[in-house]
Amino acid sequence: MAPDRLLRYLQIKVHHLIQDHDWDSIHVVGGYDREAVISTHEKTGKLFNFERPTAEVHGRDLIVKAFPGADYVHHYALIIATYLSMTGKPADTVTYELPDPMLSREAVAKLGLELDGDLVIVGWGLAHLAPADGAWTYGHGYAWQRAQIHGRRVVYLGFLHSIWGDVAGRVVTRLAELGARDVVYVGKVGALNPDIEPNTRLATGNTSLVGGSLVAWPDFFGDFATAQPGVHTGIHVTSPSILLENRDWLTEHAEHAFVDPEIGPMGVAARDAGIDFGYLHVISNNLARHYPADLSNERHSDVVRRRTVLIRQIQDIVANRLAARPI
């Protein structure tokens, strides 16, 4: 990403107290605390994934609380440090403390749904995927609604906060504990193939490079999604932060297809829990070639229009998959 676009991406993410004030220290920890200072840069007009890390002021020191996942805490600390460096401020004021795994498990365990072999569709674009006349029921940081598609019970599940990286894997584990039979994740991935223009194609697959090892999982879609027009498949790479995806990283992973933080942990969790998992994502940006659309201008009207078309295609593919094989 070009420096000006990277800075714009960071400005969207960084808490306003960091952009507006100087601090002796900034310490990022795991915690879901909506009683702390909420960033004025949180997105508006969205049902889900609009909450951002909150902050507590302690004199000249700032404590930033990100939803407790190791990947998210690390990623958000990188966001702050990179922003400070790019704006001429000392980045060495930023430290972070990875959350205890028990804290992460307890945070995700607040998810409570009555499931009995349901298909759970989780992630992004749910306002378009779920029935327009359906009602959302809210829980602790999440909301859900039920539907039936070709006789199959389906639950649409969205989170108000980010389920970045390893948190997403814990969500799948929790859904399996609650009785889900299948989980489909809808979201956005970056392409590693320079020929794929953002917001024109979908991505799917059943294999990810996680921590240097290839892992595969039972795919909810089987061969169905890859047979549809405009759906690209290949080996996915799990990366905990886009800020780690530099030129050397890209060279190392040039033969792979996509990258994001969640798909690998979710697939591993589904495999370990004995349930099926599938992902069907909009290819939102391209790491290997510059295109006008990237992660810094996602609210542009043309980007929104193109993604709406792709979300409708996702909706059709899921419905047709269930029509072909409801169970």
Side-chain angles (χ1 to χ4, degrees):
M1 195 184 303
D4 60 330
R5 295 193 172 202
L6 175 58
L7 181 59
R8 174 58 185 151
Y9 169 81
L10 298 171
Q11 289 169 332
I12 294 170
K13 306 292 184 184
V14 173
H15 198 288
H16 73 273
L17 289 178
I18 297 170
Q19 299 194 47
D20 296 345
H21 304 280
D22 295 330
W23 302 94
D24 291 344
S25 72
I26 301 171
H27 190 53
V28 185
V29 300
Y32 183 53
D33 183 4
R34 299 298 290 174
E35 299 300 316
V37 180
I38 294 172
S39 175
T40 59
H41 298 303
E42 285 193 347
K43 296 178 182 178
T44 58
K46 292 181 63 179
L47 276 175
F48 301 114
N49 192 25
F50 63 87
E51 295 180 349
R52 294 293 175 259
T54 55
E56 281 185 356
V57 177
H58 297 270
R60 296 282 306 156
D61 303 310
L62 194 69
I63 303 294
V64 177
K65 297 183 176 182
F67 192 86
D71 291 336
Y72 194 40
V73 168
H74 183 203
H75 172 62
Y76 202 71
L78 286 172
I79 283 177
I80 297 170
T82 305
Y83 169 80
L84 292 175
S85 178
M86 293 187 73
T87 54
K89 298 180 180 180
D92 59 2
T93 57
V94 181
T95 57
Y96 66 94
E97 179 181 348
L98 297 182
D100 186 286
M102 181 61 71
L103 178 64
S104 301
R105 285 193 294 270
E106 289 175 351
V108 173
K110 295 184 184 298
L111 173 62
L113 297 171
E114 293 184 4
L115 304 174
D116 184 14
D118 301 70
L119 162 65
V120 180
I121 300 176
V122 61
W124 170 83
L126 296 178
H128 298 284
L129 293 172
D133 58 352
W136 293 99
T137 300
Y138 282 82
H140 185 74
Y142 65 92
W144 58 275
Q145 64 169 281
R146 294 188 184 276
Q148 282 218 356
I149 303 177
H150 297 294
R152 181 71 188 275
R153 286 161 50 101
V154 177
V155 172
Y156 297 91
L157 172 64
F159 289 86
L160 311 188
H161 53 79
S162 174
I163 55 167
W164 190 274
D166 58 301
V167 173
R170 295 187 187 279
V171 167
V172 172
T173 299
R174 178 60 177 163
L175 290 171
E177 292 171 350
L178 293 169
R181 183 188 302 165
D182 307 286
V183 175
V184 166
Y185 179 39
V186 177
K188 299 173 287 185
V189 291
L192 303 178
N193 179 338
D195 297 330
I196 299 178
E197 181 182 356
N199 306 307
T200 63
R201 301 188 71 179
L202 299 175
T204 194
N206 75 330
T207 308
S208 180
L209 186 68
V210 182
S213 299
L214 284 177
V215 297
W217 52 85
D219 189 0
F220 168 80
F221 291 106
D223 296 329
F224 188 86
T226 57
Q228 309 307 310
V231 179
H232 188 62
T233 190
I235 295 176
H236 169 273
V237 181
T238 296
S239 171
S241 175
I242 68 164
L243 296 172
L244 300 175
E245 298 158 13
N246 55 25
R247 288 187 178 90
D248 290 340
W249 184 96
L250 183 60
T251 299
E252 180 182 354
H253 298 289
E255 74 278 14
H256 298 117
F258 324 115
V259 60
D260 98 319
E262 290 91 30
I263 288 169
M266 295 177 88
V268 170
R271 180 201 64 190
D272 292 348
I275 66 173
D276 285 3
F277 169 71
Y279 73 91
L280 200 50
H281 279 35
V282 170
I283 298 176
S284 58
N285 57 299
N286 194 307
L287 281 71
R289 178 179 294 172
H290 170 75
Y291 285 92
D294 59 26
L295 297 179
S296 72
N297 53 19
E298 294 186 293
R299 302 183 197 182
H300 190 279
S301 59
D302 183 61
V303 172
V304 172
R305 179 187 60 80
R306 289 185 177 209
R307 290 183 179 178
T308 300
V309 172
L310 292 171
I311 291 171
R312 296 302 184 200
Q313 185 181 1
I314 292 172
Q315 187 178 45
D316 290 342
I317 290 173
V318 172
N320 291 335
R321 155 62 179 81
L322 289 174
R325 186 159 55 94
I327 302 302

